Amino acid sequence: MYNLECRLLESFDVGLNEAGISGQRLAGRLSAISEIGLTEQHGSCRIGFSQEEKQAKEVVASWMKAVGLKVTTDAAGNVFGRLEGIDPTLPAVLCGSHIDTVPNGGHFDGVLGILLALEVAEAWKETGYVPRRSFEVVIFSDEEGTRFNSGLTGSSALAGTIKVSDLHALIDHDNRTFKEVVEQVGLSAERFTEAKRDLTQVAAFIEVHIEQGDTLEHEDLPIGIVSGIAGLGGLEMTLKGHAGHAGSTRMNNRRDALVAASKIVLAIEELPRRISQTAVATVGQLNVYPNGANVIPGEVKLSVDIRDIDKISLDRLIAQIVETAGNIAAECNIEFSCREVYSTPPIQVSETLRDLQMDIVSKLGMRPMLIPSGAGHDAMILGQFLPMAMFFVRSSMGISHNPREWTSLDDCVIAAKALNRFLQKLCTSSLLEKKEG
Ligand SMILES: [Zn+2]
């Protein structure tokens, strides 16, 4: 037992509870989910399409049912808890996030967004509020993409941006195919794309997520409003030289793929700041073959993750990285190839929704602060097709994807209050109607 609940309640201001929103219930639920896939370092390990992710979905689904939501699961394993509106013919408002984590991740990334959406449904039941539009709490599958080096899998399936051929090409670190992996959690690779939903029946997607940065803490604000989500490009570079004996191959006779890769890593670290202030690029994986202590590396595969909130500078940075890497490889007499592993354009947030968010945050007595999101979220997939909005909740020291990830219960409850007001407006006012008809 780790007892996240006790830690959350230690400093909780009970006076923040209101109109059916309960910090105590939220703490109990965050804690219950934290026990599923709890690591020795008190982190969280619920990899996409694992038994742990499945179990966490089942627990949340049981809470959805208890509050009267109609629970369904689609072909991608996404879970929906639907509250029928007064006018069920109107497109629904969806709100949620993911429940998978990176290996040894934290207890707030993703799961908080789901539990806050559910907390709003709890508040509506307790206060007798029935929305005009239907409302759905959503759990998306495999957002982090740890297993297949991909990500945003469930939301992409719902949006219909996944191709069956891409899924069949996926192999995890244990050499298991996508088909084998999803079958173990009761899904079918062949039927996976049936998760595509008729998006004319969805009015908007709203996501609350921890900031995973330190801007809000720096500004002394519990919540912020996301101004846009950075687009990202993922590359896999392959460098081929010659493996050889580390003792008998003279230095100027070598074609060492790792030496070229090292120069490329250093060059990639330099490039983003020359393109834009918001651009970032990371080499996160390096696989060396044959990976022997006394063998000159014959081949290296490396991954590059590139992000920016501006499409033009993102595209320019990707092009420069590929060109620079190719030039370095040529200078080192190393064969070079590069393929795009993933690509998502930057997403702007709906202005109408953003103005409403700012108004709500002001009325709650806080300064509305706009923050661009550098991390990818399920909202960036749905935002390509639907009005989308996000709230960020303060992260302690900006730490995320780490057992030390922390957000105070006070901040979680303040986020629940803002979300409750926001969703009530969206589900009842005519704000989303311009997009329909
Ligand atoms: Zn997340």
Side-chain angles (χ1 to χ4, degrees), residues 97-98 109-110 143-144 207 209 212 376-377 401:
S97 192
H98 61 97
D109 180 356
E143 189 270 348
E144 301 286 3
E207 181 168 4
H209 203 280
Q212 303 178 293
H377 297 290
H401 285 188

